[in-house]
Amino acid sequence: MSTGMKVGAVIITMGNRPEELRALLDSVAKQDGDPVQVVVVGNGSPVPDVPEGVRTIELPENLGIPGGRNVGIEAFGPSGRDVDILLFLDDDGLLPNHDTAELCRQAFTADPKLGIVSFRIADPDTGVTQRRHVPRLRAADPMRSSRVTTFLGGANAVRTQVFAEVGGLPDEFFYAHEETDLAWRALDAGWMIDYRSDMVLYHPTTAPSRHAVYHRMVARNRVWLARRNLPALLVPVYLGVWMLLTLLRRPSRPALKAWFGGFREGWSTPCGPRRPMKWRTVWRLTRLGRPPVI
């Protein structure tokens, strides 16, 4: 039964996947319970044809993933306050089940401290969930739901009260790690995050490195993430661990060059306001299985 919580959805698009976008919108329209209100943001591009009732916003320039999603949040009023829950869905994804929005309503109603839900991403052809799509260190079993410390940007639901309390996604990140930045701020404010294997988004299996800016953005934003959110003592530990992990993965010479260029950029450019998390939040992250040093 519906809990009465209002649900909205934010989808950003570059306008280059009209068929996939239409399929996604159809799957959102088929959700059980009250209709999900949808806003599609054209991130520096026109929005393809959408069904009647779907609102659209066309931005004159590409603001990046967090910037585009923030515009979508504000389309539902300041901090999204016109709805209780916002779904964030990749434009080439698909909700295969009709009860996903209703499961979100039930989850947020049952747990007043639940702030964010991360969906399980599965390949539509094989049903396989990539290890990197399970937002915890112990990721061998994607069918196990659990509390987590971050979430997947293109397949999640956020209680809009979280945005009102801690702010939106970091615009300046453009791409990569913006979810963890929001997650850490939410956890520091006392909210919890769940990974739910029964809330599924179909999405074709892809490699994140398909994006030309991947290695530079990942490195730069990792530094910004630490500078913005970690206690000073943990900043060099966290970044040192990630530098070691990057080297152990033996990226190609061009990738490594781009990575180190981004790492330097992360130290030499403004990263936004610094609000280091409390030490009790560090302990909470540790108890949840992912101390903020990895």
Side-chain angles (χ1 to χ4, degrees), residues 104-160:
C104 287
R105 292 185 183 100
Q106 293 169 9
F108 286 112
T109 299
D111 185 352
K113 295 309 294 180
L114 179 62
I116 303 171
V117 173
S118 189
F119 299 171
R120 179 168 63 89
I121 294 178
D123 184 271
D125 297 322
T126 66
V128 171
T129 296
Q130 292 180 277
R131 186 181 182 91
R132 69 183 181 89
H133 284 153
V134 183
R136 58 177 179 244
L137 292 179
R138 296 176 180 176
D141 182 8
M143 301 307 294
R144 179 173 67 87
S145 300
S146 69
R147 294 283 199 200
V148 290
T149 62
T150 188
F151 63 99
L152 306 171
N156 67 82
V158 181
R159 191 191 297 266
T160 54

Side-chain angles (χ1 to χ4, degrees), residues 5 84-85 108 111-112 114-115 157-163 191:
M5 298 188 83
D84 304 294
I85 303 164
F108 286 112
D111 185 352
L114 179 62
V158 181
R159 191 191 297 266
T160 54
Q161 190 179 343
V162 172
F163 296 127
W191 296 101

Side-chain angles (χ1 to χ4, degrees), residues 8-20:
V10 174
I11 301 165
I12 60 174
T13 183
M14 300 293 290
N16 56 349
R17 293 189 281 238
E19 293 181 4
E20 292 90 339

Side-chain angles (χ1 to χ4, degrees), residues 176-277:
H177 302 319
E178 67 272 4
E179 304 93 347
T180 300
D181 187 88
L182 176 61
W184 282 0
R185 286 183 282 126
L187 289 163
D188 197 47
W191 296 101
M192 300 302 293
I193 305 171
D194 279 354
Y195 165 73
R196 288 282 297 264
S197 64
D198 57 337
M199 300 182 190
V200 182
L201 181 85
Y202 277 170
H203 189 281
T205 298
T206 56
S209 55
R210 70 190 186 280
H211 298 291
V213 297
Y214 172 76
H215 295 287
R216 180 175 69 86
M217 292 292 195
V218 161
R220 184 197 69 180
N221 292 359
R222 184 79 70 184
V223 177
W224 281 359
L225 180 69
R227 289 175 58 197
R228 286 165 59 97
N229 296 286
L230 290 181
L233 288 175
L234 293 184
V235 171
V237 179
Y238 177 80
L239 295 176
V241 167
W242 277 104
M243 181 178 288
L244 178 61
L245 288 173
T246 299
L247 294 173
L248 289 174
R249 290 168 178 168
R250 303 181 69 179
S252 66
R253 186 181 296 273
L256 195 60
K257 181 179 179 181
W259 193 93
F260 274 107
F263 191 84
R264 288 191 296 271
E265 185 181 348
W267 285 108
S268 62
T269 54
C271 63
R274 172 168 166 76
R275 299 187 182 95
M277 66 178 65

